[in-house]
Amino acid sequence: MEWSDLPIFLAIARTGQLAKAADMLAIDATTAGRRLRRLEKSVGERLFEQGPDGQSLTPAGERLLTHAREMERAAAAIGRRDPGGPVRGTIRVSVSEGFGTWFVSRHLGTLADAHPGLAVDLVASSGFLSPSRRETDVAVLLARPRRGPLITRKLADYGLRLYASREYLKAAPPLASAADLGQHRLIGYVPDILYAPELRYLDEIPGAPEPQLRSSSINAQFRMATYGAGVAVLPCFIGDSSSQLIRLLPEIVLRRAFWLVTHEETRHFAQVAAFVDWLTRLASRHRAELEGA
């Protein structure tokens, strides 16, 4: 048996797809397939079955996986990668639309500078990919997962406030307290297609009416507020970025948190460790911006 073939076996077992495993290890899929066949020949049994969604382990593969994990842990204990060194390969990261658009993407070039061989797929959308099902390598969620083979830590707290444009406020009734919100046009989420209960911001503001203008996109809500359509609840790292928006009612501050989640079997992969380290340090440096201090 060629011991160097075991990392390929592990990568395929974890990703469920030969192509994804090859990307993770920064090799081409043809080489990965050839070395998998060599490993199967040396073991004398088929390790994977090909299905419509990729590769799944055979009983022989399940047995080998147990031993391969033990060997991987032993190798990691003998000598670990230099955490400051460059890494190669591809990593997929799932984040909320607002955090991905307004925070992560703004700084992502610094990660690329530190690791020129690292490719990042940033999935910033209304909804999340699942680390448990290996749809993503890293996820930044709005709530802590309650189950699954996951490693979870709080990444950062963040604040949300009410914002409106100067133009809107010039023509609108006075807004001196939450009781005045009933006289204003509010902007918010479409209530029956919220992808996370943590987005029910207006429920926490006494006197806030139902939003008249609604969107599943926080970016669309930001645009509506910027163009004078009404009053919106926005994360401070989004609302404070615009010179056209004004913070309203300083006594109303909502608090939420971002949770950083990885799969327990892939958290030590070089790509995952590099990204997690980078994002953790980045969030710490920008704590005041995220919290809206």
Side-chain angles (χ1 to χ4, degrees):
M1 176 186 295
E2 291 285 343
W3 300 109
S4 61
D5 293 338
L6 285 176
I8 295 173
F9 166 76
L10 283 167
I12 298 171
R14 284 164 173 159
T15 63
Q17 292 187 1
L18 186 87
K20 286 184 178 180
D23 285 342
M24 181 181 294
L25 298 172
I27 61 177
D28 62 79
T30 301
T31 299
R34 185 178 66 250
R35 292 174 64 179
L36 172 61
R37 290 191 296 273
R38 182 172 67 183
L39 180 61
E40 289 179 325
K41 184 178 179 180
S42 66
V43 173
E45 295 185 84
R46 192 170 183 81
L47 301 174
F48 293 97
E49 294 289 351
Q50 179 66 48
D53 297 324
Q55 283 75 31
S56 59
L57 287 164
T58 64
E62 293 282 2
R63 291 193 297 272
L64 180 59
L65 181 61
T66 300
H67 298 299
R69 285 173 175 168
E70 293 175 356
M71 294 170 65
E72 182 184 46
R73 287 192 288 267
I78 293 172
R80 298 190 180 274
R81 178 187 62 85
D82 175 9
V87 297
R88 299 183 59 83
T90 301
I91 184 171
R92 176 167 292 182
V93 182
S94 176
V95 296
S96 63
E97 180 192 27
F99 188 60
T101 302
W102 294 91
F103 187 78
V104 178
S105 62
R106 195 171 89 233
H107 301 282
L108 204 53
T110 62
L111 178 66
D113 289 340
H115 303 287
L118 178 63
V120 180
D121 295 337
L122 182 65
V123 183
S125 60
S126 298
F128 298 100
L129 301 179
S130 170
S132 294
R133 296 194 297 268
R134 311 284 179 80
E135 294 172 342
T136 185
D137 300 302
V138 179
V140 180
L141 306 179
L142 301 181
R144 184 171 193 161
R146 297 186 181 277
R147 60 182 180 273
L150 304 172
I151 303 299
T152 304
R153 72 174 79 166
K154 181 186 281 190
L155 176 64
D157 293 310
Y158 68 100
L160 304 104
R161 293 177 181 268
L162 290 164
Y163 292 86
S165 70
R166 302 176 196 279
E167 289 71 20
Y168 172 82
L169 294 172
K170 286 178 183 178
L175 183 51
S177 70
D180 297 328
L181 286 171
Q183 306 176 58
H184 287 263
R185 184 167 58 230
L186 265 62
I187 300 165
Y189 282 99
V190 183
D192 59 338
I193 56 173
L194 283 172
Y195 64 89
E198 290 75 21
L199 300 178
R200 298 186 183 279
Y201 304 138
L202 295 176
D203 292 352
E204 300 178 30
I205 301 177
E210 289 295 314
Q212 180 181 351
L213 303 177
R214 304 182 292 190
S215 175
S216 60
S217 166
I218 191 65
N219 289 335
Q221 294 177 41
F222 167 79
R223 292 295 183 187
M224 284 189 269
T226 300
Y227 293 136
V231 178
V233 177
L234 298 173
C236 295
F237 62 86
I238 297 178
D240 292 344
S241 69
S242 172
S243 60
Q244 300 177 58
L245 293 178
I246 297 176
R247 283 185 179 185
L248 307 173
L249 305 182
E251 70 275 15
I252 297 179
V253 183
L254 307 182
R255 298 294 181 190
R256 295 292 190 272
F258 289 123
W259 296 88
L260 185 61
V261 183
T262 58
H263 197 283
E264 64 180 12
E265 292 184 358
T266 61
R267 60 178 171 147
H268 293 306
F269 283 14
Q271 302 96 315
V272 174
F275 184 88
V276 167
D277 179 65
W278 170 79
L279 186 59
T280 301
R281 288 186 285 108
L282 182 70
S284 178
R285 288 200 305 270
H286 293 268
R287 177 180 175 182
E289 176 189 347
L290 292 170
E291 294 183 354

